[in-house]
Amino acid sequence: MREVDLRNADLNLLVVLDALLDERSVTRAATRLGMSQPAASRALARLRVLFSDALLVDGPGGYLLTARAEEMRPLLRNTLAGISELLAGRAFDPMQAGGSVRLLMLDLEAAVLGPRLIASFAEQAPAIDLEMVPPGLRPIEALEADAVDALIGVVDEAPAGIRKRKLYQDHFVTLMRAEHPAAGRKLTLERFLELDHVVVSVTGIGRAWVDEILARLGRQRRVKVRVPSFFAAVEIAARSDLVMTLPSSLARTTADMRRFVMAQPPLDLGSVVMSLAWHARHQDAPKHVWLRRTIVAAVADIGLS
């Protein structure tokens, strides 16, 4: 492996590199960093020499990242985050702090926890902005790449480097509109299977938990509609004869429960554990410690823990 003498390397170039890889444009990177376009171009030339790689190459509609550039992005982001924490020191005063935090969560968790978190931030850290990010196909990778500060959701297995703690445990209920033909009647398994269902599928891949359980019993329900959002599903259920099975915390958060009848599902669905997950590199970082404590307190305040 080639040994690099850091004494001969300008580490300020790493900040420029981060902007170039994010923006994929010399002009936009220069604007973001408050430098001239020629200066950004010269920095790119020096970076190409430093890494012995083109880093950015011409492509349709603009620059593309080379394989080497794609490979270094997570490490570069982590390195810059570590340097920022090193220079900032250990002190963290949320009342004086600025910037933002990014939390990855479904609209379900955003609806349940969002209002309490916003109130907590207003009281404790008025200059810190809160951004709630929807999960993609690989939410754990967002933590590993420092694209988000924490993840709130179902985390069955945490890979090496990821820490987690239980926030609360939720059970399932079945909702149908108050005027539904089956409202007020006992929800037996046969009646449940005769109904049409709306299902939330965030990724669009795989079966819902209810369908997994039914498959083990050799049974199947009619899933008539799939949507990527819990609140879209709730509104569909409120205005049609479709029913939905969902965690009870969302049912309690729904704007007007007078529109619905809530029933116990006629099969054992167990419960779902909602967790808070973060990367081990931020285990002792003061800002992240404060953030995790604030999230845990918000869960306790709304009576979920």
Side-chain angles (χ1 to χ4, degrees), residues 258-271:
R258 292 173 297 180
R259 298 183 299 170
F260 296 101
V261 170
M262 187 163 58
Q264 186 72 25
L267 67 165
D268 184 8
L269 297 176
S271 59

Side-chain angles (χ1 to χ4, degrees), residues 106-125:
L106 292 168
D107 64 331
L108 163 63
E109 286 81 41
V112 173
L113 296 176
R116 181 60 255 174
L117 284 175
I118 291 168
S120 296
F121 274 52
E123 179 182 349
Q124 301 177 35

Side-chain angles (χ1 to χ4, degrees), residues 19-286:
L20 287 167
L21 299 188
D22 274 353
E23 301 292 345
R24 304 186 185 213
S25 162
V26 174
T27 302
R28 290 196 299 272
T31 301
R32 170 171 155 180
L33 297 173
M35 60 194 303
S36 68
Q37 196 271 348
S41 293
R42 289 194 296 272
L44 176 57
R46 294 174 63 191
L47 285 162
R48 284 169 167 165
V49 172
L50 181 63
F51 288 99
S52 301
D53 190 90
L55 301 175
L56 297 172
V57 295
D58 290 328
Y63 277 129
L64 299 176
L65 303 189
T66 65
R68 175 79 172 102
E70 288 282 10
E71 177 185 284
M72 71 170 64
R73 288 188 74 189
L75 179 58
L76 174 64
R77 190 182 298 271
N78 296 343
T79 300
L80 291 177
I83 292 173
S84 294
E85 289 188 5
L86 178 66
L87 296 177
R90 303 299 299 169
F92 175 73
D93 181 358
M95 286 298 295
Q96 302 299 322
S100 63
V101 297
R102 290 166 58 88
L103 300 180
L104 189 150
M105 63 180 83
L106 292 168
D107 64 331
L108 163 63
E109 286 81 41
V112 173
L113 296 176
R116 181 60 255 174
L117 284 175
I118 291 168
S120 296
F121 274 52
E123 179 182 349
Q124 301 177 35
I128 295 181
D129 298 324
L130 174 60
E131 185 175 353
M132 302 181 200
V133 183
L137 291 175
R138 300 177 179 88
I140 294 297
E141 290 185 9
L143 286 178
E144 294 172 334
D146 257 356
V148 295
D149 296 294
L151 180 159
I152 300 174
V154 178
V155 183
D156 293 325
E157 294 184 6
I162 301 298
R163 305 284 178 84
K164 71 170 183 174
R165 64 157 292 168
K166 176 183 174 181
L167 285 177
Y168 61 94
Q169 193 161 337
D170 218 344
H171 65 277
F172 293 91
V173 296
T174 297
L175 285 186
M176 63 184 73
R177 66 185 181 91
E179 298 80 16
H180 194 287
R185 303 167 65 189
K186 183 178 180 180
L187 189 60
T188 63
L189 180 57
E190 294 305 322
R191 188 164 290 137
F192 183 81
L193 298 179
E194 289 171 359
L195 297 172
D196 290 333
H197 297 255
V198 55
V199 166
V200 177
S201 178
V202 177
T203 64
I205 300 173
R207 293 186 295 196
W209 177 242
V210 175
D211 298 299
E212 293 283 355
I213 298 295
L214 286 171
R216 295 173 193 171
L217 299 175
R219 308 301 295 272
Q220 185 176 0
R221 63 176 176 167
R222 169 77 188 281
V223 176
K224 196 166 187 178
V225 175
R226 294 180 184 271
V227 293
S229 160
F230 278 94
F231 277 99
V234 167
E235 287 305 311
I236 289 170
R239 305 181 191 194
S240 70
D241 283 343
L242 275 68
V243 302
M244 71 175 298
T245 300
L246 72 167
S248 63
S249 59
L250 179 59
R252 295 197 301 269
T253 307
T254 304
D256 186 1
M257 279 303 297
R258 292 173 297 180
R259 298 183 299 170
F260 296 101
V261 170
M262 187 163 58
Q264 186 72 25
L267 67 165
D268 184 8
L269 297 176
S271 59
V272 58
V273 174
M274 306 307 298
S275 296
L276 170 64
W278 63 96
H279 200 282
R281 74 174 70 91
H282 300 303
Q283 175 69 24
D284 299 315

